[in-house]
Amino acid sequence: MNPSFVSLDWGTSSLRATLVSTEGGIIEARSAAGGVMSVKDRQFEASLNAICRDWIDQFGCPIVASGMIGSRQGWVEAPYLDCPATPAAAAGAFTTLSISNKVDMHIIPGLRCGSGASMYDVMRGEETQIWGADVEPDTLCVLPGTHSKWAFVGEQSRITRFATYMTGELYGLLTRHGILGRLMEFGGSDSEAFARGATLGLNHSSQATHVLFAARTAGLMGEEQPAALPDYLSGILIGLEVASAMAGETVNGKQPIVLIGDDDLCARYEAALQLAGLQSVRARDGATVQGHVRVAREAGIVVCEPV
Amino acid sequence: MNPSFVSLDWGTSSLRATLVSTEGGIIEARSAAGGVMSVKDRQFEASLNAICRDWIDQFGCPIVASGMIGSRQGWVEAPYLDCPATPAAAAGAFTTLSISNKVDMHIIPGLRCGSGASMYDVMRGEETQIWGADVEPDTLCVLPGTHSKWAFVGEQSRITRFATYMTGELYGLLTRHGILGRLMEFGGSDSEAFARGATLGLNHSSQATHVLFAARTAGLMGEEQPAALPDYLSGILIGLEVASAMAGETVNGKQPIVLIGDDDLCARYEAALQLAGLQSVRARDGATVQGHVRVAREAGIVVCEPV
């Protein structure tokens, strides 16, 4: 397989580099802990060299990157592209850096949209995963995470609008730094406690900052055991998210929702969606690299040109 | 004035002792940083002695205490009293400790109720403030704080039901440990940004974990300045709380809502309630000590008995 480009998935907490063939296949994949937040003194080029300098030197491959590397805290701020947005539009809106005067690094723009709640919403990296998942027209994609995204995808992978839910971040803050964590024992897994929490969240999405307190009172009253409380809280938060999304957006249920992301998180969302009466399927693996392939092709990046 | 008892307001982060006269007046008031969370190795008696040993020795005064001192993390766990609950019922449900075989310390029970959201709710200390505020029958009391309380008070100060909102804790977690704090400059005050945030929260209470993200996007898009973002987020959270409480409880608006607590916080709630079309008034100062006086009288504690 001949190399075509280096796919760079550079997020807040991790960095993944993949050497992609001209056929869009994976020649080699590497990962490092060098997420944007762990790069000291803006030494982004050193992190890049550490993970794939050999590919650059040997093949002269251009780089296609997505994620927080294009944020204000990243290497260079790549302006947002407004929704509706297609892979072709993203390919036409690259922010490009020259690496050691040898190869170009193209940063895929993040997306911006006006949300139903009179506010802007933004994503960086998830647009590429959605494009790589290659879903049917008129599909709702859900990408669980620190900041979960619910995105509507129209014809030709056009992302028409999306909304962010701070579910993962709230879970982390409440368990690690908050009073709810004090009654909890971590390390176990309790799908029934998750379902009880999810049911509570689904039924009370207009009472979010109140029902979160149930993760304390259920512990105080002995209704949930300490080892069950983390999943109970996770259920409340994901239930709130699902109910909020259902209230705020048209979830028509004709097309199953496509879940994109980490297996454990997707399983939680699958369970919560099921409790809400919504069908879901998992996206194929490797959506990020496939999204890079798709945008790279739209940009006419086909083959490396050895220097 | 002859001393009657020592009022002890012993919360999570502070300890206040007040020597109360037989007429219910304040003879002397003291405070210390020795909140429940800062007491090491359960040395509660040492903290008590440090703040008012002289009163115990000189007057043999009994002590009436409320707050987190009666929680599982406190000196001794005082069982919850179920709602509806009156000062007389609380006086009949003291948890009493003997201090150095000299005087009794009576801990006022916290309250428990079933909430509308199929969960228990609890308070410790706020019940005493409500009783001390001595409000008209059929009044809704709001006590802003780390865990804000909305409590309905019927005839004879009977607390019929209440609900907790984790507003203050969420504000602290999101600004101190979360991504929202990264774009913020602290120290200023911006009542207009607060009102914009409150309006957003009031209008989208079923989208709580989504609209919180506006405190990031409004900063990213330059819609709110860094120094305005703390108040913008505070507005969103308080707006969400007010709208949630209005959706979940009967806020009939005939009687003005009584705000009990810290001046700055009460001013924020006053503004958010006004945006929601609700009238509010502030409770008189010193509600906690007056609540202790009320419960002490119900318990027949009238005068100290020097030893």
Side-chain angles (χ1 to χ4, degrees):
Chain A
M1 293 195 285
N2 293 315
S4 164
F5 73 95
V6 176
S7 150
L8 215 59
D9 173 13
W10 205 336
T12 303
S13 57
S14 69
L15 166 59
R16 276 179 285 269
T18 306
L19 186 62
V20 179
S21 77
T22 49
E23 293 78 33
I26 292 173
I27 299 173
E28 190 183 339
R30 300 171 181 173
S31 64
V36 168
M37 297 311 289
S38 70
V39 172
K40 299 225 187 315
D41 303 326
R42 307 190 56 75
Q43 298 294 309
F44 295 104
E45 191 157 347
S47 296
L48 177 68
N49 283 332
I51 198 165
C52 64
R53 179 78 206 183
D54 53 337
W55 294 341
I56 296 171
D57 286 344
Q58 191 177 347
F59 308 117
C61 287
I63 297 161
V64 176
S66 63
M68 291 303 278
I69 192 63
S71 73
R72 201 170 294 176
Q73 289 82 38
W75 196 333
V76 63
E77 190 170 3
Y80 289 105
L81 184 65
D82 278 309
C83 281
T86 58
F94 280 158
T95 294
T96 300
L97 293 176
S98 177
I99 306 297
S100 313
N101 291 319
K102 278 192 171 170
V103 302
D104 284 338
M105 180 170 95
H106 306 292
I107 302 177
I108 298 177
L111 302 191
R112 181 174 80 161
C113 77
S115 92
S118 7
M119 56 179 265
Y120 282 112
D121 212 326
V122 294
M123 60 166 61
R124 277 199 194 276
E126 293 93 348
E127 71 296 325
T128 303
Q129 292 178 269
I130 292 167
W131 291 328
D134 195 26
V135 300
E136 296 291 314
D138 289 315
T139 293
L140 174 57
C141 293
V142 177
L143 297 92
T146 305
H147 297 160
S148 295
K149 308 290 180 186
W150 290 60
F152 283 85
V153 182
E155 299 286 332
Q156 297 172 312
S157 295
R158 184 186 307 271
I159 298 173
T160 53
R161 65 187 192 282
F162 62 89
T164 300
Y165 295 84
M166 297 188 69
T167 305
E169 177 166 352
L170 287 168
Y171 178 81
L173 292 173
L174 289 165
T175 52
R176 281 197 302 270
H177 302 287
I179 198 162
L180 300 184
R182 300 222 189 110
L183 297 176
M184 293 181 178
E185 276 172 30
F186 296 93
S189 170
D190 189 330
S191 59
E192 289 176 16
F194 176 86
R196 287 191 292 273
T199 302
L200 191 64
L202 283 168
N203 290 338
H204 298 93
S205 65
S206 67
Q207 296 282 319
T209 62
H210 169 54
V211 293
L212 288 173
F213 198 57
R216 178 160 176 80
T217 56
L220 284 175
M221 299 303 157
E223 295 185 302
E224 297 290 346
Q225 294 306 304
L229 284 172
D231 280 334
Y232 186 65
L233 175 62
S234 167
I236 295 174
L237 281 162
I238 294 174
L240 286 170
E241 177 184 335
V242 170
S244 294
M246 289 172 73
E249 308 279 352
T250 313
V251 180
N252 61 25
K254 284 180 196 159
Q255 206 79 267
I257 289 169
V258 174
L259 288 166
I260 307 174
D262 168 84
D263 273 346
D264 171 64
L265 271 182
C266 283
R268 289 170 186 268
Y269 278 69
E270 221 158 49
L273 288 168
Q274 202 167 15
L275 286 169
L278 296 171
Q279 293 286 314
S280 64
V281 295
R282 304 269 184 106
R284 61 181 183 186
D285 284 343
T288 306
V289 173
Q290 290 312 310
H292 287 154
V293 169
R294 191 152 178 197
V295 175
R297 284 187 176 154
E298 292 285 357
I301 297 168
V302 179
V303 66
C304 298
E305 293 170 16
V307 283
Chain B
M1 293 194 286
N2 294 316
S4 163
F5 72 97
V6 176
S7 149
L8 214 59
D9 172 12
W10 203 336
T12 302
S13 56
S14 70
L15 167 58
R16 275 180 285 268
T18 307
L19 186 62
V20 179
S21 76
T22 49
E23 294 77 33
I26 293 173
I27 299 173
E28 190 183 341
R30 302 171 180 173
S31 64
V36 168
M37 298 310 289
S38 70
V39 172
K40 299 224 190 316
D41 302 324
R42 309 191 54 76
Q43 297 293 309
F44 295 105
E45 190 157 348
S47 295
L48 177 68
N49 283 333
I51 198 165
C52 65
R53 179 78 207 181
D54 53 336
W55 294 341
I56 296 171
D57 286 344
Q58 191 178 349
F59 306 117
C61 287
I63 298 163
V64 176
S66 64
M68 291 302 278
I69 192 63
S71 72
R72 202 169 294 176
Q73 289 82 38
W75 195 334
V76 64
E77 190 170 4
Y80 290 105
L81 183 66
D82 278 309
C83 281
T86 58
F94 280 158
T95 294
T96 299
L97 293 176
S98 175
I99 305 298
S100 314
N101 291 319
K102 278 192 170 173
V103 301
D104 284 337
M105 180 170 95
H106 307 291
I107 302 178
I108 298 176
L111 301 191
R112 180 174 82 160
C113 77
S115 92
S118 6
M119 56 179 265
Y120 282 112
D121 212 326
V122 294
M123 61 167 60
R124 277 198 193 276
E126 293 92 348
E127 71 296 325
T128 304
Q129 291 178 270
I130 293 167
W131 290 328
D134 195 26
V135 300
E136 296 291 314
D138 289 314
T139 293
L140 175 57
C141 293
V142 177
L143 297 90
T146 304
H147 296 162
S148 295
K149 308 290 179 186
W150 289 60
F152 283 84
V153 182
E155 299 286 333
Q156 295 172 309
S157 294
R158 183 185 308 270
I159 298 174
T160 55
R161 64 186 192 281
F162 62 89
T164 300
Y165 295 85
M166 296 188 69
T167 304
E169 176 166 354
L170 286 167
Y171 178 80
L173 292 173
L174 289 164
T175 52
R176 281 198 302 270
H177 302 287
I179 199 164
L180 299 184
R182 300 225 188 106
L183 297 175
M184 293 181 176
E185 276 172 29
F186 296 92
S189 169
D190 189 329
S191 61
E192 289 176 17
F194 175 85
R196 286 191 294 273
T199 302
L200 190 64
L202 283 168
N203 290 337
H204 298 92
S205 64
S206 66
Q207 297 282 319
T209 63
H210 169 54
V211 293
L212 289 173
F213 198 57
R216 177 159 177 82
T217 56
L220 284 174
M221 300 302 158
E223 294 184 304
E224 296 290 346
Q225 294 306 305
L229 283 172
D231 280 334
Y232 186 65
L233 176 62
S234 167
I236 295 173
L237 282 162
I238 294 174
L240 286 170
E241 176 184 335
V242 170
S244 294
M246 288 171 72
E249 306 280 352
T250 312
V251 180
N252 62 24
K254 284 180 195 159
Q255 205 79 268
I257 290 169
V258 173
L259 288 167
I260 307 174
D262 166 87
D263 273 345
D264 171 63
L265 270 182
C266 284
R268 290 170 186 267
Y269 277 70
E270 220 160 49
L273 289 167
Q274 201 166 18
L275 286 169
L278 295 171
Q279 294 286 314
S280 63
V281 295
R282 305 268 184 103
R284 62 181 183 185
D285 283 344
T288 305
V289 173
Q290 289 313 311
H292 287 154
V293 169
R294 192 151 176 198
V295 176
R297 285 188 175 155
E298 293 285 357
I301 297 169
V302 178
V303 67
C304 298
E305 292 171 19
V307 283

